[in-house]
Amino acid sequence: MKEYILLIDTTDDKGLVYNISKVLFANHLNIEQNSEYVDPETKKFFMRTVITGDVKKTILLKELQEVLPANSTIKLNEKQNKDVVILATKESHVLGDLLIRYFDGDLNANIKAVIANHEHLGDLVEKFGIPFYCVSAEGLNREEHEAKLIEKIQEFEPELIVLAKYMRILTPNFVKTFPKKVLNIHHSFLPAFIGANPYKQAYERGVKIIGATAHYVTDDLDEGPIIAQDVVRVDHTYSWQQMRNAGRNVEKVVLYNAFQLLLDDKVFVHKNKTVVL
C-alpha cells in the first residue's frame, strides 16, 4: 500500500488536528505517523502526517482546504525517492561520502547527475555509475557560466540540488530558478574566519570547537534557513591540518543529515528558519 506525506502550514486555531483527522477518516485513510508544532510567537501551526490508503489527491486536498483557515498551505507527496542533482568543484570528501551512502542504499534519492565546474572528480563519480558533467567557467563571466549550469541542471528536472562543496557564489537568478530546492554545507567559522584557509586561522586563534552548518541557499550568502548543525571539540594538541580533517568529518555528517531530512519531507521553512518534524 502506498504511503503519502501530508504537510500542513497554517494559522493555529482550535480543533485543527480534529478537523484534519476527521477528513482523513472520512476518506478511509490511516495515520501511520504524526508530528505537530505551534510557533509560540507567530501562532503558526505545522503538521507532518504519514498516511496510507487509496488516496484521491484532488478530493482530499479540497476537503482539507474547506476545514482549514484560508491562508493554509497544504502539500501531499507520495513517499518515494526524490530526483537529485549534485554540484561539486574539486573537494571530494563530502561528495564521496554521499556517493558511498547512495551506493549502500542509505539515501532516499535518485542521483541523476553530478555537475562540476572542473574535471577533477569525474573519475570518482563514474565509479558509482552516475553521469558526470563538467560545465567549465573558463572564459565566461558569472552570468554566462550560470546560464549554462542552469540549462544542464534543468535537463534532469531535480526536486533537490545539493552543493557538495561547490565553491562558486550563486546569483539571485539561480536561487529564483530553483526556490527552496538548493542545499549547501559550510564550516561554522563564518563570518569570523573568511578566506582560503579558515582552519589555519582557527588554529592560530586557539579555537576549541569546529562545526558545520547545512542550510537552504538564498540570496543572502551562507545565511539561508538552517536545517542541521553539529560540532566537534578540538584542543591545543591539534595541528591546523588535524582541525581541517575534523571539520571535513563533521561537514559530511551534517550534510547527510540535512539531506535526509529534505528527502523525507521533514522540513518547513518559517521566515528565515526551519521547523523540522
Side-chain angles (χ1 to χ4, degrees):
M1 186 173 292
K2 289 184 179 179
E3 287 189 332
Y4 292 81
I5 299 174
L6 176 64
L7 304 168
I8 294 175
D9 170 356
T10 188
T11 303
D12 190 31
D13 199 3
K14 292 179 180 179
L16 285 178
V17 176
Y18 170 78
N19 287 330
I20 294 165
S21 301
K22 187 169 66 172
V23 170
L24 296 176
F25 179 78
N27 281 270
H28 308 289
L29 303 174
N30 191 49
I31 296 175
E32 303 290 342
Q33 297 176 14
N34 189 65
S35 301
E36 308 148 27
Y37 173 72
V38 177
D39 186 284
E41 294 184 357
T42 61
K43 305 302 180 186
K44 290 284 286 185
F45 172 88
F46 302 90
M47 182 170 173
R48 177 187 183 272
T49 307
V50 179
I51 58 177
T52 55
D54 183 13
V55 173
K56 296 177 175 59
K57 187 171 182 177
T58 302
I59 295 172
L60 180 61
L61 292 177
K62 179 178 179 294
E63 292 182 1
L64 286 169
Q65 197 72 61
E66 289 172 352
V67 301
L68 291 172
N71 65 341
S72 301
T73 299
I74 308 169
K75 296 179 181 178
L76 183 64
N77 300 330
E78 185 176 344
K79 198 172 183 181
Q80 59 187 1
N81 289 358
K82 296 185 186 300
D83 291 342
V84 175
V85 166
I86 299 177
L87 302 188
T89 298
K90 294 181 180 180
E91 294 188 51
S92 62
H93 63 286
V94 169
L95 175 62
D97 182 71
L98 290 181
L99 294 177
I100 291 171
R101 292 180 188 274
Y102 182 67
F103 179 81
D104 287 342
D106 292 339
L107 285 171
N108 301 324
N110 302 314
I111 299 179
K112 309 298 286 187
V114 174
I115 304 172
N117 57 318
H118 293 277
E119 297 278 5
H120 291 62
L121 300 175
D123 290 343
L124 170 64
V125 174
E126 288 168 2
K127 288 177 181 177
F128 291 87
I130 296 171
F132 175 84
Y133 302 91
C134 177
V135 179
S136 174
E138 187 173 351
L140 304 175
N141 63 36
R142 188 186 305 278
E143 288 72 22
E144 291 169 339
H145 175 252
E146 202 171 79
K148 290 181 175 291
L149 180 65
I150 290 173
E151 183 180 8
K152 175 56 69 175
I153 291 172
Q154 288 178 327
E155 290 180 16
F156 303 100
E157 300 180 344
E159 295 167 83
L160 288 172
I161 300 167
V162 180
L163 307 188
K165 303 299 288 186
Y166 182 70
M167 305 305 289
R168 288 181 65 84
I169 297 174
L170 300 171
T171 70
N173 180 56
F174 189 99
V175 176
K176 182 176 67 175
T177 304
F178 305 106
K180 296 181 184 177
K181 286 187 175 183
V182 187
L183 172 65
N184 190 27
I185 183 72
H186 65 75
H187 59 75
S188 292
F189 293 145
L190 297 174
F193 305 128
I194 299 172
N197 199 334
Y199 290 101
K200 193 170 184 180
Q201 297 177 54
Y203 167 77
E204 292 168 350
R205 286 286 301 276
V207 162
K208 298 298 186 286
I209 294 176
I210 289 175
T213 296
H215 62 93
Y216 278 111
V217 174
T218 64
D219 291 345
D220 298 316
L221 181 63
D222 293 327
E223 295 183 15
I226 294 170
I227 300 168
Q229 291 180 298
D230 204 354
V231 297
V232 292
R233 295 191 177 276
V234 296
D235 59 33
H236 62 278
T237 65
Y238 282 66
S239 67
W240 74 262
Q241 293 91 343
Q242 289 172 317
M243 285 188 174
R244 179 189 61 194
N245 291 340
R248 287 177 172 175
N249 285 336
V250 74
E251 284 178 349
K252 291 188 290 188
V253 172
V254 170
L255 183 62
Y256 166 71
N257 289 340
F259 189 20
Q260 197 66 278
L261 290 172
L262 293 179
L263 291 172
D264 291 341
D265 289 315
K266 291 189 173 184
V267 182
F268 293 83
V269 176
H270 179 42
K271 295 188 174 182
N272 196 45
K273 63 181 181 180
T274 61
V275 172
V276 180
L277 296 178

